[in-house]
Amino acid sequence: MNDRTQNGVSVRLENVAFSYGEARFVFDAEFRAGAITAVMGASGSGKSTLLNLVAGFESPQAGRVRIGGEDVTALPASMRPVSMVFQENNLFAHLSVEANVGLGRSPSLRLAAQDRERVEAALARTGLAGKGKRLPRELSGGERQRVALARVLVRERPVLLLDEPFASLGPALRDDMLDLVARLQAERCMTVLFVTHQPDDARRIADHVVFIEGGKVAASGAAAGFFADDGPDVFRRYAGTNGRESRHVARKPT
Ligand SMILES: Nc1ncnc2c1ncn2[C@@H]1O[C@H](COP(=O)(O)OP(=O)(O)OP(=O)(O)O)[C@@H](O)[C@H]1O
C-alpha cells in the first residue's frame, strides 16, 4: 500500500457542469479524503450522475474533476483511481467468482501467482472463502455484492463509488454489508461516496452527508448534525416526505 492510499485522497468537483437534455447539473463539492460521504437526495436529483462524472463514465461540459489534487477531467474511466459498485449487474454471469474478482487485477485475466493470492485473500476477507469456483447465479444477492467488494479490494484504487449497492437486500443483511464496507474502508483508508436513499444506512457508516437537489449540492455537513432535529431544512423537508424510515431517523437521539 502506498502513502497515497494510507492517507486517502480527496475528490473535488469544481463547478462541474453537465446536462442530459433538459436535466442540468452543476456540482461544486469536495469529498473528504479517507472518509465515507453519503450522497442523498430525491429520485432524479442527480446522485448517479455525480458518481458517473467522478468515475469518468460521463464528461463535464465545463469545470474540473480532481482526485487527490490531480486533474482527472480528461482521463478515461479506466485510468482513474476509482472503483465503482452498482446495485446489480456488477458481475459477468459466465465467469466464476474468482475470475470476476481476478478481473480487478488484469482485464485479460492473465494472473500471476501473486495476483491469485490477492484474489484468494480478498475472497476470504469478504466471507467468500471456498466459493471461488461458483458462478454468480449460484450465489445469493448479498454474496454477489461481496464478490464486487472483493474485486474492489484487489483493484487497490483509493476511491470507491457505491451506487445504492445494497438497496435490494433485506435490512439485517444490509447492515452486515454496510459494516463490511466500513471495515474495508477503514483498513484501506478509501475515500467512499455512497449513494443511498436510507438515512439509517447513512447514519450507520457515513462521516459526512452531501444532499443533492435539482442537480446541485443543496446542503452538506457532518452526519451527526445532518440528521439532528436542527439539521438542514432542505434535508428535513425531504425526510418528512419520505415515509416511516425517515421519521424514525428524526426521532432518534443524535
Ligand atoms: N443516460 C441518461 N440519458 C438521459 N437522461 C438521463 C440519463 N441518466 C439520467 N438521466 C436523467 O438525469 C436526471 C438525474 O438522474 P440520476 O440517475 O443522476 O438521478 P438519481 O438522483 O441517481 O436518481 P435515483 O435516486 O432514482 O437513482 C434524471 O432526470 C434522469 O432522468
Side-chain angles (χ1 to χ4, degrees):
M1 199 183 293
N2 60 28
D3 282 348
R4 214 164 74 127
T5 310
Q6 276 170 2
N7 298 329
V9 299
S10 64
V11 172
R12 174 118 184 85
L13 299 173
E14 293 175 356
N15 289 311
V16 168
F18 181 75
S19 60
Y20 285 124
E22 294 294 294
R24 293 177 190 281
F25 310 87
V26 181
F27 295 119
D28 197 55
E30 170 134 19
F31 298 89
R32 295 262 183 94
I36 301 179
T37 301
V39 179
M40 302 193 71
S43 187
S45 58
K47 304 178 298 295
S48 297
T49 304
L50 188 152
L51 261 55
N52 287 337
L53 287 160
V54 175
F57 299 138
E58 299 290 2
S59 298
Q61 289 146 356
R64 319 301 314 166
V65 179
R66 292 185 194 279
I67 299 181
E70 190 183 328
D71 187 345
V72 300
T73 317
L75 279 187
S78 61
M79 303 285 288
R80 297 194 185 191
V82 169
S83 294
M84 190 154 172
V85 177
F86 302 91
Q87 185 173 340
E88 51 197 15
N89 298 326
N90 291 292
L91 307 181
F92 288 97
H94 63 290
L95 293 179
S96 68
V97 164
E98 60 189 13
N100 268 287
V101 177
L103 286 172
R105 297 297 293 181
S106 160
S108 60
L109 280 177
R110 275 193 280 271
L111 300 176
Q114 193 193 27
D115 296 318
R116 292 180 194 284
E117 280 167 24
R118 296 279 175 96
V119 169
E120 279 304 307
L123 288 175
R125 184 68 195 83
T126 51
L128 292 168
K131 297 190 170 140
K133 303 289 182 212
R134 292 198 196 176
L135 290 171
R137 67 167 177 268
E138 297 168 330
L139 298 176
S140 69
E143 286 169 336
R144 280 195 288 272
Q145 294 306 68
R146 286 174 188 270
V147 177
L149 289 175
R151 185 162 60 206
V152 166
L153 289 181
V154 304
R155 275 168 64 81
E156 298 183 333
R157 309 277 165 113
V159 176
L160 173 57
L161 308 176
L162 300 171
D163 198 349
E164 300 192 63
F166 312 130
S168 58
L169 307 179
L173 181 55
R174 210 166 69 212
D175 284 352
D176 285 350
M177 298 298 292
L178 290 169
D179 293 348
L180 176 60
V181 165
R183 288 195 299 275
L184 300 178
Q185 182 274 338
E187 283 171 22
R188 303 288 181 102
C189 199
M190 286 184 285
T191 304
V192 177
L193 278 59
F194 168 42
V195 171
T196 179
H197 282 275
Q198 305 295 336
D200 279 347
D201 290 1
R203 281 173 66 103
R204 194 174 183 94
I205 65 165
D207 307 293
H208 301 277
V209 183
V210 162
F211 185 79
I212 311 286
E213 193 174 65
K216 290 191 169 68
V217 175
S220 61
F226 216 88
F227 299 117
D229 285 346
D230 59 353
D233 284 349
V234 70
F235 177 75
R236 283 168 352 114
R237 276 200 301 279
Y238 162 79
T241 58
N242 270 273
R244 196 174 48 78
E245 252 159 320
S246 301
R247 287 200 299 279
H248 169 62
V249 165
R251 282 202 307 273
K252 275 188 177 174
T254 55

